[in-house]
Amino acid sequence: MITALKFTLLLLALAFAQGLHYNYIDELDKEAGTVRAVQASQYVSLWPLPQKVKILDLSFKLTSFNIVDAKESSAGSSCSLLQDAYRRYYEYMFGIAKRQGPRKSRLTGPSELTELQVWITSPDSECDGYPSVTSDESYELSVDLPYAVLKAPKVWGALHGLETFSQLVYEDQYGAKSINSTAISDFPRFAHRGILLDSSRHFLPLKVILANLETMAMNKFNVFHWHIVDDQSFPYLSRTFPQLSQQGAYHPYTHVYTPADVKMVIEFGRLRGIRVVPEFDTPGHTQSWGKGQKDLLTPCYSGSKPSGSFGPVNPILNTTYDFMSQFFKEISTVFPDAYVHLGGDEVDFTCWKSNPDIQKFMDQQGYGQDYKKLESFYIQKLLDIVTTTHKGYMIWQEVFDNGVKLKPDTLIHVWKGNQEQYQSEMANVTSAGYKTLLSTPWYLNRISYGQDWHGHYKADPQDFNGTEEQKKLVIGGEACLWGEYVDATNLTPRLWPRASAVAERLWSAKDVTDINDAFNRLSVHRCRMVARGIPAEPLFSSYCPREYKGI
Amino acid sequence: SSRVSSSGSSSALSSLHTVEGVWPLPQSFTSSTERYPLNPKAFYFGYGRQSAAQQDCSVLDAAFKRYFSLIFPDYTSGSGDKPFTVEIRVDHADCDSYPNENSSERYNLSVSAGQASLNAETVWGALRGLETFSQLVYQDDFGTYFVNKTEIDDFPRFQFRGILLDTSRHYLPVQAILKTLDAMAYSKFNVFHWHIVDDPSFPYQSRTFPDLSSTGAFHPMTHIYTQSDVRRVISHARLWGIRVLPEFDSPGHTQSWGKGQSDLLTPCYRGSTPSGTFGPVNPVLPSTYQFMARLFKEVSSVFPDSYIHLGGDEVDFSCWKSNPDVRAFMQKMGFGGDFTKLEAFYMEKIVNITSALKKTSIVWQDVFDYHERIPKDTVLHIWKGTPASYKEELSRMTKAGMRVLLAAPWYINHIAYGQDWRNYYTVQPLNFSGTEEQKKLVIGGEVCMWGEYVDATNLTPRLWPRASAAAERLWSDEKQTSSVDEAFPRLQDFRCKLVRRGIRAEPLHVGHCKHEYQGV
């Protein structure tokens, strides 16, 4: 249930927010410290909208403010994840300047909020752990005197609660901060809320990846799906097979992710409650692998001779599986997440068809001309390999479509088709009892003129014909930013705030669908991202109090 | 012109180290595989003895400083001991002037052992030549800089090669404008069309009417262009050889003006009472023209260019129709029910104001479409329609003897998935039916970046390198640049040059730059 918020004045409030706040000051001067009537403008910036919100017409000033551990909290000052987050959110709310130098000592007035106490309620705060698909991300926030309290069973909920708290803070014309008396109880609708970035078609410098993890946290995304390698380049520096990036990256030194880089991404994500799920897509999309790993790819033939070009991974050689075993063993230790994405999409059979050894193998196996069976054979062996590394796996929908035998806890990633097609795919996948997540309506690399976020906002992963049990198998979705036309120059403004629309769909209650209300809140949310240094592009003609200063 | 490519293959990257790596492609050139190492520590710009401009030429001195860093992005690695001098010779010492509609941009560049000679009629031509020279220099894998033996004779196909930025729908911080001017110079654009005000906001801080921005801007302090901001833009543009063409669009697109200037806009009526909303500028009040005369007097002194853009597009007649005073005026003037006549009446008075200020007016095509009674020296700006319809418009306008500027095919704010730069590249601006005389009346083209969905967060990657495709169409010879596929590797290479220069130019397709953009 969402407390009904009156958004009728929002458009006005958005455009004249500063003016309205200015009026509050006047009132405050007249009746210092007493309850004041406020407009809806402070509510407008919550994004994604929490499950339950109650904001009172009672505001507190934030002049001398701190975020501290509640003394009952199971995570104290030794929890660096939280301490790091306190500092981050303090800076978001008050800027860096205020932290430096001693604060003026002054008496606090009756309407002044001085503290946010963060209380991790469960005995195991998970402070030093990694987030997972089953992590408890819920939190409760109470903003009231004498101090505000953020209660969460685990640190993951606390991180989201801090973001929400920071979104409640607003400022007047002169930068003075206030917050209204508020009660929020919040939890995500879906457990898997992801962003896919593609670092193969264009290399993405570390700084861009980190900035986007930062922005993901502002939008309560919790999975970074790292489509790290593909046909075009292999930037992942493997300790076991260093020649893969040595030969397959755009450049062996400047266009690679070293083990230290990968570690940094994972830890940066963890500190923000974000899982890092790597994708090593096979057997297709592997041209770059072939440069550093001889005999891994299938030699294509033209007539009776090798043509010199290569196709998908060669599924008939034992060496292929030896390589994959070693490779995925490394991956399973480098990436702590319980899942690895194995791809399996868009396998082109023409090269396999051309290769006489493969034809012979097909005959031996009794596959006839059904290359899907060969694909299944490969995937099946790969899944067995990955299972021995104690990882769960995600795969693109084709693997399911082609009837590969899968472990019951496999996650099927739906990415194809029009609305009718993906909805029927979701129905099929869930009726077969598999868990699934949706990306089809959220291919954000596809751009068009105008406010295309409307379409992203309206898509709902549970909108398909199926039982309640089937709907429960939908664990979430991912916004995908494929890299054909995207690199560090344009990634951030292309992703934000369009991905924010997806964030609300995956976090907020199903009935949060009012597009006008969303526009008002999202406009302010986008300006908040800009104020935090993220070049999130505009939704429509308007302005931000603090425009983007980088160029 | 002849081409000698160092590798013989236009697709090989090595060939880009020759003159073909220059964007936009020069008109006439020869280059050879003979190359000379450049040592940054022994590299000089100098004025030729016969040059009319000498030391202390503001434009060229500033250009030497800029181009040294652009030519040698990291000059720690100096090798080769022979000195190299780029010697400039210009015919006119127009160092303190502004580029104008007649400025010659022609230059001749000859690169040989130890020296390059750059000859131009004007300093503006010399600037174009320096840009070309900077693009000829490349680094090998070990960081050594080289330039190949080259002969270039170059000049623009069109005199007017513009970029429109819209600072009303979103405010663009001055830094974003300056950075765009830099990038414009890299593509040899020479006009910044500053669509400075419009319905949503009025960020221009007027000396005469300060209320226009104090009530019409998004914010009266942070979202305005002060007089010194404007001067800074103009002077920065001048140093890059770029004209600044301001647009004060009226009578439509003026909602923001009304906030700070009462009685300027037409009160709309519902039935017999004012509805509280306002329409276009009120054309029936003498006070309107007094205001406009004072405003344009200020604008014409603030902006040195001889052109002023007066807008005149998309006038909605419904408010005028609703207003009884406007209707009475229509009767008095004998316009009947034809509101295009009222619009024409208004535009004529505005054009007369700017003519009296010795400025050439540019107006959007709507003004011509409604009536052809505009002074012959007015420039018409085509922004509407399909290729078929803008070609027809080109024919009609030039047949009427009017000068024309083409923007319709280059509305670059419209984005689509994929390589839409190809569409901007393949435009043929003179492919319309008309005589040679008519064709000469097409003074150039303009890339428009309207601001509904654009601000400082996304302006640069949305503009570059897509606008560069239009730049080549407007500068280079059409026959030599008719193949999009041949342009592709050159534009990819040029895009990486932009990135190296700190311009957040987006990729054309998969691939990489040696030096990727390192920002967010």
Side-chain angles (χ1 to χ4, degrees):
Chain A
M1 278 283 294
I2 298 151
T3 308
L5 303 176
K6 286 180 185 164
F7 285 112
T8 42
L9 284 172
L10 286 197
L11 248 181
L12 190 71
L14 178 65
F16 300 105
Q18 294 197 317
L20 290 174
H21 287 156
Y22 185 60
N23 290 338
Y24 304 158
I25 299 292
D26 286 346
E27 267 177 71
L28 190 67
D29 288 342
K30 274 178 254 153
E31 325 166 70
T34 59
V35 180
R36 291 170 286 131
V38 291
Q39 306 292 326
S41 58
Q42 296 110 45
Y43 309 162
V44 304
S45 75
L46 285 176
W47 193 278
L49 197 66
Q51 300 284 343
K52 290 184 204 170
V53 189
K54 193 174 181 195
I55 303 180
L56 298 183
D57 293 347
L58 169 64
S59 87
F60 311 122
K61 287 195 288 178
L62 300 169
T63 42
S64 166
F65 181 79
N66 251 329
I67 307 173
V68 298
D69 300 304
K71 60 179 185 299
E72 308 90 330
S73 179
S74 64
S77 56
S78 63
C79 177
S80 63
L81 178 146
L82 284 182
Q83 302 309 321
D84 197 67
Y86 298 166
R87 182 184 58 186
R88 189 163 68 247
Y89 281 103
Y90 190 92
E91 286 176 2
Y92 284 164
M93 290 185 283
F94 303 106
I96 294 163
K98 265 203 161 175
R99 275 179 62 245
Q100 294 158 350
R103 282 200 198 93
K104 280 183 214 151
S105 66
R106 57 187 292 279
L107 290 173
T108 56
S111 68
E112 195 154 318
L113 188 73
T114 56
E115 229 170 58
L116 169 64
Q117 297 195 355
V118 179
W119 179 1
I120 307 301
T121 56
S122 149
D124 177 11
S125 68
E126 296 183 7
C127 177
D128 299 314
Y130 288 94
S132 76
V133 72
T134 55
S135 291
D136 188 336
E137 296 179 279
S138 70
Y139 68 93
E140 281 180 27
L141 180 61
S142 153
V143 181
D144 207 344
L145 295 181
Y147 43 77
V149 178
L150 168 59
K151 278 209 280 191
K154 308 288 182 188
V155 291
W156 318 119
L159 291 172
H160 295 315
L162 284 166
E163 174 61 37
T164 300
F165 183 88
S166 76
Q167 295 189 0
L168 289 167
V169 174
Y170 56 95
E171 66 177 28
D172 68 23
Q173 177 130 359
Y174 305 104
K177 315 283 176 176
S178 303
I179 191 168
N180 275 34
S181 177
T182 304
I184 286 177
S185 169
D186 201 10
F187 54 87
R189 181 179 168 206
F190 293 107
H192 187 118
R193 306 179 306 281
I195 296 275
L196 176 149
L197 298 183
D198 169 0
S199 58
S200 172
R201 273 134 189 144
H202 286 98
F203 179 78
L204 301 174
L206 209 55
K207 197 172 163 186
V208 175
I209 294 180
L210 300 184
N212 279 280
L213 288 168
E214 188 90 67
T215 318
M216 284 170 67
M218 297 174 199
N219 290 275
K220 298 190 170 72
F221 275 107
N222 67 350
V223 179
F224 169 37
H225 175 166
W226 195 351
H227 189 86
I228 191 165
V229 300
D230 205 300
D231 282 332
Q232 286 75 10
S233 75
F234 198 103
Y236 173 77
L237 199 163
S238 162
R239 279 175 295 210
T240 325
F241 300 102
Q243 70 277 15
L244 287 171
S245 61
Q246 192 70 35
Q247 303 296 323
Y250 282 129
H251 188 282
Y253 298 110
T254 60
H255 288 62
V256 296
Y257 302 106
T258 65
D261 291 340
V262 172
K263 238 185 193 149
M264 189 187 288
V265 168
I266 293 167
E267 179 62 6
F268 196 91
R270 187 188 80 82
L271 291 174
R272 285 154 185 78
I274 297 169
R275 301 161 51 200
V276 178
V277 176
E279 176 178 353
F280 289 90
D281 191 355
T282 65
H285 289 282
T286 47
Q287 288 295 302
S288 69
W289 302 49
K291 294 182 184 164
Q293 186 66 18
K294 206 165 142 305
D295 297 335
L296 180 65
L297 303 186
T298 310
C300 314
Y301 277 66
S302 122
S304 60
K305 282 187 198 137
S307 67
S309 64
F310 294 88
V313 166
N314 194 332
I316 68 170
L317 299 180
N318 290 334
T319 51
T320 291
Y321 301 101
D322 295 342
F323 167 81
M324 290 295 173
S325 295
Q326 286 189 70
F327 184 75
F328 278 102
K329 194 174 166 203
E330 171 184 325
I331 297 308
S332 72
T333 61
V334 169
F335 292 91
D337 199 79
Y339 284 87
V340 55
H341 202 302
L342 298 176
D345 58 319
E346 298 185 309
V347 185
D348 181 359
F349 296 143
T350 49
C351 182
W352 280 351
K353 282 181 188 165
S354 77
N355 183 301
D357 297 334
I358 297 219
Q359 284 163 23
K360 200 186 297 166
F361 185 82
M362 295 281 288
D363 285 345
Q364 281 167 10
Q365 297 285 320
Y367 293 163
Q369 286 304 303
D370 188 354
Y371 285 85
K372 281 185 183 174
K373 287 192 173 142
L374 182 60
E375 182 186 359
S376 293
F377 170 84
Y378 168 80
I379 297 271
Q380 189 60 58
K381 294 197 69 138
L382 181 67
L383 297 186
D384 290 344
I385 287 168
V386 174
T387 303
T388 65
T389 67
H390 306 292
K391 293 284 184 189
Y393 38 79
M394 297 169 63
I395 38 98
W396 296 108
Q397 69 178 78
E398 285 100 316
V399 180
F400 168 82
D401 297 345
N402 291 350
V404 177
K405 198 180 110 215
L406 298 164
K407 279 198 300 180
D409 62 344
T410 303
L411 300 181
I412 317 282
H413 199 162
V414 175
W415 69 278
K416 291 210 293 190
N418 58 29
Q419 185 177 327
E420 195 185 324
Q421 288 164 330
Y422 77 71
Q423 289 180 349
S424 100
E425 179 81 3
M426 297 289 281
N428 292 340
V429 169
T430 52
S431 89
Y434 291 108
K435 288 186 183 164
T436 184
L437 70 161
L438 180 65
S439 276
T440 311
W442 297 315
Y443 264 40
L444 300 188
N445 51 307
R446 302 214 151 259
I447 53 169
S448 59
Y449 188 63
Q451 299 200 39
D452 60 354
W453 69 274
H454 287 185
H456 307 140
Y457 190 73
K458 286 173 182 160
D460 191 303
Q462 286 179 329
D463 280 353
F464 61 86
N465 286 324
T467 62
E468 278 311 299
E469 286 310 302
Q470 277 177 265
K471 303 286 169 88
K472 281 185 192 147
L473 292 169
V474 179
I475 62 158
E478 277 183 10
C480 299
L481 195 68
W482 295 101
E484 282 87 347
Y485 302 103
V486 176
D487 72 2
T489 61
N490 60 353
L491 184 145
T492 310
R494 194 160 286 195
L495 189 55
W496 310 104
R498 292 160 79 232
S500 304
V502 183
E504 178 150 298
R505 181 58 50 240
L506 294 173
W507 178 281
S508 305
K510 188 174 169 62
D511 61 357
V512 178
T513 53
D514 181 340
I515 200 95
N516 295 319
D517 170 36
F519 175 80
N520 295 328
R521 283 183 295 114
L522 189 53
S523 296
V524 187
H525 180 55
R526 127 45 211 188
C527 286
R528 178 169 44 231
M529 291 190 272
V530 170
R532 292 176 182 183
I534 304 300
E537 68 179 22
L539 295 177
F540 194 60
S541 305
S542 183
Y543 77 106
C544 294
R546 290 184 183 83
E547 300 289 359
Y548 185 65
K549 288 287 186 261
I551 23 168
Chain B
S1 71
S2 65
R3 294 190 199 205
V4 184
S5 165
S6 61
S7 70
S9 152
S10 65
S11 65
L13 272 176
S14 57
S15 71
L16 295 175
H17 293 157
T18 73
V19 71
E20 288 183 63
V22 178
W23 191 280
L25 194 70
Q27 297 282 348
S28 156
F29 53 82
T30 323
S31 69
S32 91
T33 53
E34 189 177 325
R35 66 180 194 178
Y36 317 110
L38 300 181
N39 177 1
K41 287 169 187 136
F43 180 89
Y44 309 97
F45 291 108
Y47 292 90
R49 208 171 298 153
Q50 273 131 48
S51 175
Q54 292 292 337
Q55 209 84 46
D56 291 333
C57 173
S58 60
V59 171
L60 291 178
D61 285 350
F64 297 159
K65 189 177 166 185
R66 281 195 313 271
Y67 275 108
F68 186 85
S69 318
L70 293 173
I71 292 166
F72 304 111
D74 63 281
Y75 62 95
T76 46
S77 56
S79 72
D81 25 48
K82 287 182 191 145
F84 191 97
T85 303
V86 178
E87 193 176 270
I88 317 281
R89 191 182 60 77
V90 294
D91 299 339
H92 304 287
D94 39 5
C95 301
D96 298 315
S97 68
Y98 290 90
N100 64 52
E101 55 176 318
N102 299 315
S103 296
S104 162
E105 294 173 282
R106 176 187 277 274
Y107 65 92
N108 175 283
L109 176 65
S110 168
V111 181
S112 54
Q115 98 154 15
S117 308
L118 174 56
N119 299 320
E121 290 167 33
T122 68
V123 293
W124 318 117
L127 289 179
R128 305 295 169 247
L130 284 169
E131 175 57 39
T132 297
F133 180 81
S134 76
Q135 294 187 24
L136 288 173
V137 177
Y138 58 95
Q139 278 178 285
D140 69 7
D141 288 344
F142 306 102
T144 306
Y145 294 95
F146 290 97
V147 66
N148 285 34
K149 184 174 168 62
T150 306
E151 289 287 338
I152 292 177
D153 188 23
D154 200 13
F155 54 88
R157 179 181 180 204
F158 291 105
Q159 185 62 38
F160 189 115
R161 305 175 309 281
I163 297 250
L164 175 149
L165 295 185
D166 169 2
T167 56
S168 173
R169 288 173 176 94
H170 285 97
Y171 176 80
L172 297 173
V174 173
Q175 279 302 333
I177 295 176
L178 300 182
K179 193 90 168 181
T180 303
L181 291 168
D182 294 354
M184 283 172 66
Y186 304 153
S187 288
K188 297 191 171 76
F189 278 105
N190 68 349
V191 181
F192 167 39
H193 175 171
W194 195 348
H195 189 85
I196 192 165
V197 300
D198 203 300
D199 283 330
S201 76
F202 196 104
Y204 172 75
Q205 190 178 47
S206 162
R207 292 189 294 232
T208 325
F209 302 102
D211 288 349
L212 289 171
S213 64
S214 69
T215 54
F218 283 133
H219 188 285
M221 305 300 291
T222 59
H223 287 62
I224 57 166
Y225 301 106
T226 64
Q227 290 291 315
S228 70
D229 288 339
V230 173
R231 276 200 300 272
R232 194 161 162 217
V233 167
I234 293 168
S235 96
H236 191 97
R238 185 184 84 88
L239 291 176
W240 282 116
I242 295 169
R243 299 160 57 192
V244 178
L245 164 67
E247 176 178 356
F248 286 83
D249 189 356
S250 73
H253 290 282
T254 47
Q255 287 295 301
S256 69
W257 303 42
K259 293 180 186 165
Q261 185 67 18
S262 58
D263 299 335
L264 178 65
L265 304 186
T266 311
C268 314
Y269 276 64
R270 191 183 298 120
S272 60
T273 49
S275 67
T277 63
F278 294 88
V281 166
N282 193 334
V284 310
L285 298 180
S287 59
T288 291
Y289 302 101
Q290 287 155 15
F291 165 82
M292 289 294 181
R294 292 180 67 195
L295 179 70
F296 279 109
K297 188 173 176 205
E298 171 183 329
V299 168
S300 69
S301 71
V302 170
F303 293 89
D305 201 77
S306 66
Y307 282 32
I308 288 186
H309 205 301
L310 300 176
D313 59 319
E314 298 187 304
V315 183
D316 180 1
F317 297 143
S318 56
C319 182
W320 279 352
K321 281 180 188 164
S322 77
N323 182 300
D325 297 336
V326 173
R327 289 200 305 265
F329 184 82
M330 295 278 290
Q331 286 240 294
K332 196 180 96 189
M333 300 297 291
F335 291 162
D338 186 355
F339 283 85
T340 65
K341 288 191 171 139
L342 181 58
E343 183 188 352
F345 168 85
Y346 171 84
M347 286 311 294
E348 199 174 330
K349 295 197 77 147
I350 300 298
V351 170
N352 287 342
I353 288 172
T354 48
S355 298
L357 293 163
K358 309 269 184 271
K359 297 282 184 178
T360 301
S361 301
I362 305 191
V363 293
W364 295 108
Q365 69 181 93
D366 313 43
V367 178
F368 174 83
D369 294 349
Y370 285 136
H371 75 126
E372 307 194 358
R373 256 183 58 202
I374 6 179
K376 273 279 186 277
D377 68 338
T378 306
V379 177
L380 304 173
H381 201 163
I382 298 182
W383 65 277
K384 284 198 280 196
T386 60
S389 62
Y390 72 68
K391 281 175 188 174
E392 199 184 303
E393 188 83 353
L394 280 163
S395 292
R396 279 196 298 137
M397 287 172 170
T398 52
K399 196 162 189 190
M402 305 297 291
R403 285 181 296 167
V404 186
L405 183 59
L406 183 63
W410 294 304
Y411 262 40
I412 210 162
N413 53 309
H414 289 145
I415 52 168
Y417 187 64
Q419 298 195 41
D420 58 354
W421 70 273
R422 289 168 182 264
N423 304 329
Y424 307 130
Y425 193 77
T426 50
V427 173
Q428 297 176 301
L430 298 185
N431 185 17
F432 62 90
S433 71
T435 62
E436 278 310 302
E437 285 310 303
Q438 277 177 260
K439 308 270 165 116
K440 281 184 191 149
L441 290 169
V442 179
I443 64 167
E446 196 172 82
V447 171
C448 297
M449 183 60 94
W450 295 102
E452 282 86 347
Y453 303 103
V454 176
D455 70 3
T457 62
N458 60 353
L459 169 71
T460 305
R462 205 164 273 207
L463 191 53
W464 310 106
R466 292 160 77 229
S468 305
E472 181 150 296
R473 184 53 53 239
L474 294 170
W475 178 282
S476 307
D477 178 71
E478 195 169 290
K479 280 202 199 81
Q480 292 182 64
T481 56
S482 57
S483 162
V484 204
D485 293 332
E486 278 177 30
F488 180 73
R490 280 198 303 119
L491 188 54
Q492 267 196 323
D493 184 64
F494 178 65
R495 178 255 162 178
C496 287
K497 275 183 189 138
L498 292 177
V499 171
R500 186 82 209 270
R501 293 176 177 193
I503 303 297
R504 206 154 44 111
E506 67 179 22
L508 294 177
H509 197 51
V510 298
H512 77 291
C513 295
K514 192 171 169 194
H515 302 275
E516 300 287 0
Y517 182 70
Q518 293 298 327
V520 172

